[in-house]
Amino acid sequence: MQEFLAVARPTSSDIPNPAAAALPASARPPLRQRIDAAWRLPEPDCVPPLVAAARVDGAMQARIRELAHGLVAGLRTRRSRSSGVDALMKEFSLSSQEGVALMCLAEALLRVPDKATADRLIRDKLARGDWRAHLGQSPSLFVNAATWGLLITGRLVSTSSAEGLSSALTRLLARGGEPLIRKGMDLAMRMLGEQFVTGRDIDEALERGRTAEKRGYRYSFDMLGEAAMTAQDAARYYAAYESAIHAIGKAAAGRGVIDGNGISVKLSALHPRYVWSQRERLDAELLPRLKALCLLARRYDIGLNIDAEETDRLDLSLDLLEALALDPELAGWAGLGFVVQAYQKRAPFVLDFIIDLARRSGRRLMLRLVKGAYWDAEIKRAQIDGMAGYPVYTRKVYTDVSYLACAKKLLAARDAIYPQFATHNAHSLAAIFHLAGEHYADGDYEFQCLHGMGEPLYDQIVGHAERHRMVRIYAPVGSHETLLAYLVRRLLENGANTSFVNRIVDERVPVEELIADPVEQAAPLGGAPHPRIVLPADLFGALRANSAGHDLASEAVRARIAAALATSAATPFSAGPILADGGANLAGAQPVRNPADHTEIVGHVAEASAHEVAHALAAAGATAPEWAVCPAASRSDALIRAATLFEREADTLLALA
């Protein structure tokens, strides 16, 4: 079929391909360039060096294994006294139908727009669960109470059938039954949420935390709230952080950043446009807000940690951290902190940058090393966006190896960094314990855990005569309305069958398996990715290639597109109707100006005349019978060829657009 509009320009051999052209030297420091490059490293390139960096000798392995074994044995002995969440993970694991139903319900209720939809969702997810099978199976009162509630709710909603509700249930619902069910679900979610949240507000959280503080724990409080959607959201979150710093600081009573409680701040909560494309706006609007909170924390001499978020926000967070670290008004304050996720391929290079920043700024920075809480989202987003690879490791064991390699790097830089190791894994804990050496004093390093999940493990560390180490609890604070997104992340993270928190309560998993050395497990794999997680380009298998995306959060990609823009500006483009005989009529072409800059002429376009349109339609009509009998496979091949050409010329087309 003839098209009647085309772009006529010099042949591809006459124009340099900006995608293939060498990039100009970046103005960014080398350490930041290494961070950006590591984002796209394939796992076979980055895992083997980590394995080598994390490896320890046989004597150290034996000491780590002995401590890890003792911790796991002690943890299982304490299982009857463990948190309700541990018991819930065992009873309603994500491998059971009921566990999946709970997960779906909790996740979906976050976005249910109206009560009628909520009622249908509850009926769908609860009616088919075999809740009776779970009654009395757990020693936890928490689980049994939750099960009774789910059984009753399930019975009420399961009476619905293809023919409709029974007359009795119809009468019950008419008298307000479904609102009661909704209320029951609301109460169940609150009950579950209280296992994760220390208080509805900071005063309640501080009060509830006093018991654990007397046992030796310290806290880093987090005011619950996901990314701000509006300026009003951001102002509300800022006020909550400000109020919390005042309350935490007064309660700390000058104990300092190590012995006192601190706060964790999520930057996406402080600005509704916390994305790379708004960098200048963030410098003007977000940085002053963050600095004001830091100055307030400095006044009280408490710690403030910048929380980790999604991969494409890391670069922004590092810019803000650097600005704060070099700000003379914050000089002398040792409470500025940052969170690094070991599941990111960039983690070791991020640590290099932060250690260097600490030394350049002449201050000791706090650094919390976590394994990461957005793994599912990072994998799915890379697939949807058609990235070249994944920013995170596809195997859990690689993340554990990365964590150990990063821990060794931090322990070697304790002059510049106050390491904070956040883990619930007994082997990781034991490895850091021994890698750090026998001589310990508060302020050397600390462990961290999540409220409601890590205390049973760390009760064997805090206050122990020989093992004592400082442990800080990451403690969310917020109402039921702000809980669900955080709760879902925790359930996904710790309900997975690879999670230590999930496996520790399963007596069928041997202790030796729980404390296996991840370095020894990863070494034979050679960095091979998980076989069931294909690269984004191969997502559709033999059917077709996934479309390639453009990682605009990457400095290198932006530089490549900038080069394409420069090439485009110097290229004379013209467009006009393609005639049925194959020629192009460019007579009378008029300039097309850049709507953002009318002095710039993008190219010239000749509009089709009425005669040319009629001629094109007649030619198309004559070709229609031939196209109608064309096999579907041939049509598909034509579409694929067209898509391949668009993708090959993407930089040129983006520049034109």
Side-chain angles (χ1 to χ4, degrees), residues 216-265:
Y217 286 99
R218 295 296 179 263
Y219 283 88
S220 181
F221 293 102
D222 170 37
M223 311 310 293
L224 269 181
E226 298 304 300
M229 293 292 105
T230 65
Q232 289 78 12
D233 288 341
R236 187 171 64 255
Y237 289 136
Y238 178 87
Y241 283 129
E242 187 178 51
S243 174
I245 291 172
H246 280 298
I248 296 165
K250 290 172 183 175
R255 286 182 287 164
V257 299
I258 303 298
D259 192 42
N261 296 325
I263 192 167
S264 295
V265 173

Side-chain angles (χ1 to χ4, degrees), residues 570-583:
T571 302
F573 290 95
S574 56
I578 290 181
L579 305 180
D581 59 10

Side-chain angles (χ1 to χ4, degrees), residues 371 396 400 423-430 457-458 500 514-515:
K371 293 190 178 176
K396 172 69 164 61
D400 291 337
T423 179
H424 297 154
N425 184 295
H427 182 276
S428 300
L429 189 163
L457 174 63
Y458 284 101
F500 180 86
L514 283 171
I515 64 171

Side-chain angles (χ1 to χ4, degrees), residues 390-409:
Y390 296 109
V392 295
Y393 299 107
T394 58
R395 293 183 189 263
K396 172 69 164 61
V397 69
Y398 294 165
T399 295
D400 291 337
V401 170
S402 173
Y403 192 87
L404 293 178
C406 290
K408 290 175 76 172
K409 189 182 286 282

